[in-house]
Amino acid sequence: MKINVLGKGFVELIDSMPRENMDLRVVECARTSFDGELYGDERDYKLLKYLIDHKELAPLEHCKMTIRVKAPLFVARQWMRYRANAYSEMSLRYTEAQEDEYYVPFQWRLQSKSNKQGSSDEQLLDTDALMLYGIYYDAIETAFDGYKSALAFGVAREQARLLLPAFALYTTFVYTTDLRNVLHFLTERLDSHAQWEMQQYAKAVLQIVRTLAPKTIEYSGLFEGV
């Protein structure tokens, strides 16, 4: 399952354990506490709802998923603050940056007057926005020209990358998480206070998790309307 996000970005499910119906795996692991098994009827889902309602979430950690993500670097850095996951990321020490692999904002949001770290719903006016796009493209082109010049001089990739427009670049990473931790991630990054670009990736992850554990998502009651 692959979902395109922000132009050239994407979120792609690589593997999961179990491959399907994580909801019942949660119940199965929960019943291990008293040496029980699945009933194969509505009692299984009743127990799942009980676990979620009462925040008994440890059994969710038995359900794993590995996801490949292509995202702007600033999104990746926010994502990797969730340290309970395992990450592997593309390195510009081993690969060369591609000139067309950078994020172009859909709009220029104004700084929030009430939130020092976030943006508001207001956008830059059309004329000013067009001018800023010109400045943006010029800055990107200048940075890549410098990067290519450094490589042409024989400078090592690990130093030449210093000339790149770091936060605008797309990066690719793989991360492995579990059902409990991905619910925590979604709760925070689907919140209206999260950065807009980060919210778009969280929505894509939610689509994937819904296919793997639909009842868990439903019973959580956290993502209605998303």
Side-chain angles (χ1 to χ4, degrees):
M1 183 177 186
K2 184 175 183 179
I3 302 167
N4 293 325
V5 188
L6 295 187
K8 296 179 180 179
F10 60 77
V11 172
E12 180 183 17
L13 178 65
I14 298 175
D15 199 4
S16 64
M17 184 189 75
R19 292 289 180 89
E20 57 185 22
N21 209 333
M22 287 185 173
D23 296 324
L24 292 182
R25 175 60 57 83
V26 172
V27 174
E28 183 179 34
C29 292
R31 285 222 172 95
T32 302
S33 298
F34 43 90
D35 199 27
E37 297 180 350
L38 294 175
Y39 291 131
D41 56 32
E42 285 303 312
R43 287 176 291 179
D44 293 332
Y45 292 108
K46 185 176 180 180
L47 175 56
L48 177 65
K49 190 174 189 308
Y50 177 89
L51 294 171
I52 294 172
D53 287 346
H54 291 81
K55 309 300 181 186
E56 299 286 347
L57 302 181
L60 277 67
E61 296 174 14
H62 292 282
C63 298
K64 308 288 185 180
M65 62 198 77
T66 299
I67 296 174
R68 180 182 289 111
V69 179
K70 182 178 179 181
L73 197 64
F74 65 86
V75 169
R77 291 299 167 263
Q78 290 183 36
W79 207 313
M80 291 179 186
R81 294 183 64 186
Y82 294 86
R83 299 185 182 92
N85 307 311
Y87 297 94
S88 296
E89 185 179 10
M90 180 186 75
S91 172
L92 291 176
R93 296 183 69 193
Y94 301 109
T95 62
E96 289 187 16
Q98 301 302 306
E99 198 166 352
D100 60 347
E101 289 292 289
Y102 61 90
Y103 172 60
V104 179
F106 289 76
Q107 69 278 316
W108 297 103
R109 302 183 298 274
L110 299 184
Q111 180 65 42
S112 170
K113 293 181 174 62
S114 59
N115 182 353
K116 292 182 179 180
Q117 69 175 12
S119 56
S120 69
D121 293 332
E122 297 181 87
Q123 299 179 20
L124 202 60
L125 297 176
D126 292 347
T127 303
D128 291 338
L130 287 173
M131 185 180 298
L132 186 53
Y133 276 118
I135 294 170
Y136 185 75
Y137 285 120
D138 287 345
I140 296 287
E141 183 177 352
T142 299
F144 270 100
D145 285 346
Y147 174 71
K148 289 185 290 185
S149 295
L151 293 177
F153 283 132
V155 172
R157 287 187 294 267
E158 65 183 24
Q159 282 193 304
R161 62 183 172 168
L162 297 173
L163 291 155
L164 290 168
F167 283 100
L169 289 179
Y170 278 99
T171 187
T172 302
F173 64 93
V174 171
Y175 91 111
T176 299
T177 186
D178 61 62
L179 190 53
R180 181 179 189 174
N181 278 293
V182 82
L183 287 181
H184 173 63
F185 166 81
L186 291 172
T187 301
E188 294 196 343
R189 295 306 173 177
L190 287 171
D191 187 271
S192 60
H193 295 93
Q195 187 165 346
W196 182 84
E197 288 86 355
M198 187 76 246
Q199 290 182 51
Q200 309 316 303
Y201 278 90
K203 288 177 182 178
V205 173
L206 177 59
Q207 287 186 54
I208 289 174
V209 179
R210 270 200 173 114
T211 66
L212 297 172
K215 288 296 185 182
T216 298
I217 294 297
E218 177 186 342
Y219 295 157
S220 74
L222 297 170
F223 314 113
E224 296 176 6
V226 181

